[in-house]
């Protein structure tokens, strides 16, 4: 969702919800006395050897489960304006993405998610759509898109599109006909009588959420920008129009959708109801956060909409037997059950953004708290996921520091479930300073320079850094749409590919290959040593190998006894290391005693146990 919302949370208390240890039960029925000790000892031995735990304490499946493609791949988010410019106009495009598919394949990525590429006036960079079934000329045309689908599928890469159901652009033909009162379009948006706004509802982009239209003479509702009128999902004709949008793109080969701003889709039918104050003393009175959103956010009718979309996706799955993926964007919320209700609605998953909150004040216990919020609250059949960066948030290197890029990628790619990587995080790209004059984030610029400095999203959307050439190899043009980082001369794909094996890119590739191991694909998780510095866990399957993952997210060198956490297992072999040069004592292939591991801040190891 294109929003400059404040990220709340920072460091939170540890949830104290540990995974439940599961042991094999003793056999029932009569047992001969002289065999009792032997059987008990065998059971204890099996319990120690197995050490297999799924999130929530469930035992991992054996034989291996049948997993869908979206459960086995990394999802790689591309911001198309910033990935690769093919024609020298300074803006990335579809042909540029096609040029880089082999690179994406080299990351062991099998699914790309594209931020909006639909026709748009670009007031909100594509999240204000004026035609849901066409490509904006900035990015190319439908033929280019078809070529992308073909080229990606040839390489075994799935393509996921953004779906923006909450609002359109005010330049969409539907809105132009709606403001003229033309049936059935007159009911495609949320209108109320002329005069004063019917309630106190506020826009997420600050100020009143109602604007008077000069043509219709009535006010329309917009949860976001004035130029983004909300669609009326209580209108049956609109519902079918949007279902047909999904059908249009799936007929062209699209493999799934990420749904934007889903929690804003419905408003109460009684428009006279005011939303109560939130009681937050730290926000301005015209801020969205100054109200509690009882009538405009997370309404129960959303469930029916998701189920209808799932029915549409199932139409295509029934035709060719290929799974279609549906993931929804949900905001930070202290109640995990609100997020998880989307599983029941029919989504494959809601994005879990908890790790976006992580910064340098978040040590081992803090990381465990956020991991627990996901793994400790899933029901049977619900698949986890983790996200560490996206187009609305600061990059990992800027939040955590360069020394922690490898550590965060190691965490992301070894936790259970489906990981999502924002382009450039595999390199450790940093936020780029973008001056007010250079800024492209119109929503932030429209609220003044001070607001822009605090909340502009431009810094994390700068061009991908491919090589040490002009503009980092992103464009052959004179001026890219946003400035390229000055670090592109040495922090780029080309140099990191040929540099040390522990460069962020090379380590990322190795971690991505390691994810193919059964224990990382579907195995259980049990916590190991967790303290103010260290977060560690064991990934295992009943019949496979076990790995210990241990990372220092703290501020101090930590020396810890992992043998005790592993019930006496003392030996292991290093499979991967972050290669933190402050230590340099651990190397891939080293056999090591787990009794005392010494890890520096930002240092992590993956260790094979058996």
């Amino acid at each position: 969702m294109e929003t400059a919302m404040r990220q709340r949370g920072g460091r939170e208390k540890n949830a104290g919800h540990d995974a439940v240890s599961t042991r094999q039960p003793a056999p029932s029925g009569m047992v001969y006395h002289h065999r009792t000790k032997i059987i008990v000892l065998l059971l204890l031995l099996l319990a120690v050897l197995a050490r297999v735990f799924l999130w929530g304490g469930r035992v991992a499946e054996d034989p291996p489960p049948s997993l869908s493609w979206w459960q086995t791949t990394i999802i790689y988010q591309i911001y198309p304006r910033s990935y690769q410019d093919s024609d020298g106009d300074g803006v990335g495009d579809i042909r540029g993405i096609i040029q880089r598919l082999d690179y994406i394949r080299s990351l062991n990525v099998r699914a790309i998610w594209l931020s909006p590429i639909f026709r748009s006036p670009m007031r909100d960079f594509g999240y204000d759509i004026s035609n849901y079934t066409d490509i904006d000329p900035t990015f190319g045309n439908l033929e280019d898109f078809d070529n992308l689908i073909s080229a990606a599928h040839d390489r075994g890469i799935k393509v996921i599109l953004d779906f923006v159901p909450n609002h359109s652009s005010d330049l969409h033909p539907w809105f132009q006909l709606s403001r003229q009162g033309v049936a059935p379009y007159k009911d495609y948006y949320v209108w109320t009588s002329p005069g004063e706004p019917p309630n106190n509802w506020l826009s997420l982009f600050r100020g009143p959420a109602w604007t008077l239209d000069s043509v219709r003479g009535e006010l329309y509702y917009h949860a976001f920008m004035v130029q983004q009128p909300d669609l009326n999902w209580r209108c049956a004709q609109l519902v079918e129009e949007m279902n047909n949008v999904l059908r249009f793109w799936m007929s062209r080969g699209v493999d799934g959708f990420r749904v934007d701003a889903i929690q804003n889709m419905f408003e109460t039918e009684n428009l006279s109801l005011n939303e109560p104050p939130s009681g937050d003393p730290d926000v301005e009175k015209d801020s969205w956060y100054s109200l509690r959103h009882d009538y405009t956010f997370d309404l129960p009718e959303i469930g029916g909409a998701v189920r209808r979309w799932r029915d549409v996706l199932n139409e295509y799955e029934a035709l060719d037997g290929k799974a279609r993926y549906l993931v929804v964007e949900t905001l930070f919320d202290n109640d995990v059950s609100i997020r998880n209700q989307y599983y029941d609605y029919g989504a494959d998953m809601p994005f879990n953004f908890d790790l976006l909150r992580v910064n340098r004040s978040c040590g081992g216990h803090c990381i465990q708290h956020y991991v627990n919020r996901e793994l400790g609250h899933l029901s049977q059949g619900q698949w986890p996921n983790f996200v560490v960066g996206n187009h609305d948030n600061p990059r990992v290197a800027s939040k955590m520091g360069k020394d922690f890029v490898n550590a965060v990628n190691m965490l992301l790619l070894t936790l259970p479930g489906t990981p999502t990587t924002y382009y450039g995080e595999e390199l450790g790209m940093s936020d780029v300073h973008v001056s007010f004059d250079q800024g492209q984030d119109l929503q932030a610029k429209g609220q003044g320079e001070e607001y822009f400095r605090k909340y502009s999203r431009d810094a994390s959307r700068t061009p991908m850094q491919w090589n040490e050439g002009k503009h980092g190899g992103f464009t052959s043009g004179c001026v890219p749409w946003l400035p390229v980082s000055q670090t592109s001369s040495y922090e780029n794909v080309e140099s990191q590919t040929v540099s040390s094996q522990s460069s962020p890119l090379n380590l990322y590739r190795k971690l991505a290959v390691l994810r193919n191991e059964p224990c990382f694909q579907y195995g259980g998780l049990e916590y190991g040593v967790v303290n103010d510095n260290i977060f560690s866990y064991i990934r295992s399957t009943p019949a496979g190998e076990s790995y210990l993952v241990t990372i220092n997210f703290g501020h101090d060198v930590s020396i810890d006894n992992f043998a005790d956490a592993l019930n006496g297992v003392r030996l292991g072999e290093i499979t991967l290391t972050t290669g933190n040069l402050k230590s340099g004592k651990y190397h891939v292939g080293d056999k090591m005693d787990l009794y005392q591991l010494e890890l520096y801040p930002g240092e992590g190891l993956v260790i094979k146990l058996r």
Side-chain angles (χ1 to χ4, degrees):
M1 177 174 60
E2 299 293 279
T3 169
M5 290 187 191
R6 295 185 301 123
Q7 291 185 39
R8 301 187 175 211
R11 181 172 183 172
E12 299 185 23
K13 292 182 179 179
N14 180 21
H17 185 98
D18 292 335
V20 178
S21 296
T22 305
R23 290 291 184 262
Q24 298 289 334
S28 59
M30 185 68 68
V31 181
Y32 289 106
H33 177 72
H34 71 277
R35 300 168 101 182
T36 300
K37 290 184 179 180
I38 296 174
I39 292 173
V40 170
L41 288 172
L42 286 173
L43 290 171
L44 289 173
L45 179 61
L46 287 172
V48 171
L49 290 176
R51 304 189 56 79
V52 176
F53 303 84
L54 267 182
W55 40 95
R58 300 190 303 276
V59 178
E61 297 181 56
D62 186 21
S66 176
L67 300 179
S68 186
W69 61 264
W70 53 268
Q71 294 174 303
T72 62
T73 184
I74 299 163
I75 295 174
Y76 186 77
Q77 182 191 357
I78 293 174
Y79 199 69
R81 297 182 70 88
S82 292
Y83 204 61
Q84 179 66 65
D85 172 22
S86 71
D87 57 10
D89 66 355
V91 180
D93 47 47
I94 292 173
R95 292 183 181 182
I97 296 171
I98 294 172
Q99 292 174 8
R100 298 300 186 179
L101 287 174
D102 286 336
Y103 166 74
I104 294 168
R105 187 78 166 76
S106 78
L107 298 176
N108 204 37
V109 164
R110 300 296 181 267
I112 55 175
W113 153 35
L114 307 183
S115 293
I117 53 176
F118 315 109
R119 190 174 288 271
S120 166
M122 297 294 168
R123 294 289 302 176
D124 197 22
F125 291 114
Y127 286 90
D128 50 327
I129 296 172
S130 58
N131 189 331
Y132 283 94
T133 55
D134 198 10
I135 302 296
D136 193 88
T138 302
F139 304 117
N141 53 42
L142 285 170
E143 182 181 359
D144 294 328
F145 181 78
D146 291 341
N147 290 337
L148 170 62
I149 291 287
S150 177
H153 286 176
D154 285 347
R155 292 165 174 80
I157 298 172
K158 306 289 187 181
V159 179
I160 301 161
L161 289 187
D162 251 311
F163 179 51
V164 186
N166 180 70
H167 51 265
S168 75
S169 165
D170 60 350
L171 298 184
H172 197 295
W174 296 346
F175 186 75
Q176 294 302 312
L177 292 167
S178 186
R179 66 200 300 246
Q180 295 168 32
V182 176
Y185 305 101
K186 65 185 181 68
D187 297 323
Y188 273 30
Y189 296 84
V190 181
W191 295 94
T192 190
S193 302
E196 294 297 316
N199 52 51
N200 67 342
W201 299 353
L202 295 171
S203 161
L204 281 95
F205 287 158
R206 300 181 67 166
W210 294 96
T211 293
L212 179 66
D213 178 66
S214 60
V215 174
R216 182 156 166 163
E218 296 179 355
L219 296 106
Y220 65 89
Y221 174 67
H222 52 92
F224 295 90
M225 299 177 76
V226 171
Q227 298 88 352
Q228 293 171 308
D230 270 46
L231 293 164
N232 177 18
W233 279 87
R234 301 185 190 279
C235 172
Q237 293 93 333
L238 182 277
V239 170
E240 190 57 23
E241 289 266 23
M242 296 300 278
N243 287 345
N244 286 335
V245 168
L246 298 178
R247 293 184 178 105
F248 176 87
W249 292 109
M250 284 190 291
S251 294
R252 303 191 90 93
V254 168
D255 301 288
F257 300 92
R258 172 265 191 186
V259 184
D260 176 73
I262 192 170
Q263 292 165 289
N264 301 90
M265 274 182 59
F266 281 87
E267 308 77 35
T268 183
E269 292 184 271
N270 184 354
L271 300 182
S272 68
L273 296 174
N274 285 325
E275 296 198 307
S278 66
D280 188 338
D282 298 326
V283 298
E284 299 84 355
K285 63 179 181 180
D286 65 344
S287 167
W288 188 79
Y289 290 102
S290 68
L291 299 177
R292 203 178 70 220
H293 304 287
D294 297 347
Y295 306 121
T296 59
F297 199 72
D298 269 331
L299 268 62
E301 293 91 332
I302 296 172
V306 178
R307 291 184 185 101
R308 287 189 290 271
W309 298 336
R310 172 52 66 188
D311 288 342
V312 174
L313 270 61
N314 286 346
E315 292 173 14
Y316 284 79
E317 185 168 342
L319 291 174
D320 58 19
K322 297 177 181 178
R324 266 51 174 208
Y325 173 64
L326 186 65
V327 61
V328 300
E329 177 199 43
T330 56
L331 301 179
F332 300 138
D333 202 301
N334 290 329
D335 187 350
V336 180
S337 66
I338 293 176
R339 178 170 81 208
N340 287 353
Q341 66 188 345
Y342 288 91
Y343 289 105
D344 298 327
Y345 292 165
D348 290 306
M349 63 179 67
F351 267 143
N352 162 29
F353 290 149
D354 286 348
L355 291 181
L356 289 176
R357 312 185 201 202
V358 170
N359 54 38
R360 284 297 292 116
S361 68
C362 190
H365 284 128
C366 173
I367 297 288
Q368 183 186 38
H369 165 57
Y370 287 128
V371 171
N372 259 342
R373 272 175 54 89
E374 178 73 346
L375 303 186
H377 293 85
L378 296 179
S379 300
Q380 185 71 37
Q382 295 178 348
W383 189 256
N385 75 99
F386 291 93
V387 179
V388 297
N390 65 22
H391 58 293
D392 284 332
N393 290 273
R395 288 190 175 275
V396 169
S398 296
K399 288 185 293 188
M400 298 287 289
K402 293 287 188 183
D403 286 348
F404 284 80
V405 168
N406 284 353
V408 171
N409 282 334
M410 180 175 283
L411 176 73
L412 177 68
L413 298 188
T414 58
L415 283 172
T418 300
T420 298
T421 289
Y422 183 50
Y423 82 97
E425 297 289 14
E426 72 274 21
L427 301 176
M429 282 176 58
S430 301
D431 290 348
V432 177
H433 173 71
V434 180
S435 69
F436 185 74
D437 291 339
Q438 294 173 309
Q440 300 292 325
D441 187 346
L442 298 180
Q443 185 276 327
K445 290 191 76 172
Q447 301 192 54
E449 190 164 352
E450 182 178 355
Y451 184 94
F452 177 85
R453 285 199 303 269
K454 289 182 179 179
Y455 301 116
S456 169
R457 300 157 295 179
D458 288 337
S460 61
R461 299 177 176 182
T462 56
M464 181 68 170
Q465 297 163 196
W466 294 105
N467 57 47
E468 63 183 13
K470 183 180 179 181
H471 304 313
F474 164 71
T475 180
S476 60
C478 296
V479 181
W481 81 286
L482 280 174
V484 178
S485 173
Q486 294 181 352
T487 67
S488 66
S489 61
Y490 54 91
E491 286 183 348
N492 59 67
V493 171
E494 191 174 278
S495 63
Q496 287 198 15
T497 297
V498 300
S499 65
S500 70
Q501 292 299 303
S502 60
S503 72
L505 178 57
N506 284 329
L507 178 62
Y508 187 97
R509 284 172 166 150
K510 292 174 183 177
L511 287 164
V513 171
L514 185 65
R515 284 195 76 255
N516 292 332
E517 292 290 326
C519 67
F520 292 108
Q521 285 282 301
Y522 58 84
L525 179 145
E526 182 186 10
Y527 294 119
V529 172
V530 178
N531 55 42
D532 287 343
N533 294 309
I534 299 296
F535 179 59
S536 71
Y537 45 96
I538 300 97
R539 300 296 314 277
S540 308
T541 59
E545 298 169 326
S546 294
Y547 289 87
L548 167 68
V549 180
T550 177
I551 306 169
N552 187 340
F553 285 103
H555 294 274
D556 303 310
V557 176
S558 191
I559 302 174
D560 299 279
N561 178 0
F562 284 82
D564 284 350
L566 295 167
N567 288 346
V569 176
R570 293 193 56 155
L571 297 178
E573 179 180 335
I574 296 179
T575 300
L576 287 176
T577 170
T578 54
N580 190 315
L581 298 180
K582 291 179 181 176
S583 169
K585 65 186 296 183
Y586 300 124
H587 304 91
V588 172
D590 285 354
K591 305 290 193 301
M592 55 190 311
D593 191 323
L594 304 177
Y595 180 70
Q596 281 193 323
L597 291 185
E598 179 183 27
L599 294 180
Y600 281 69
E603 189 172 23
L605 302 172
V606 178
I607 300 170
K608 182 185 289 187
L609 299 179
R610 59 181 170 93

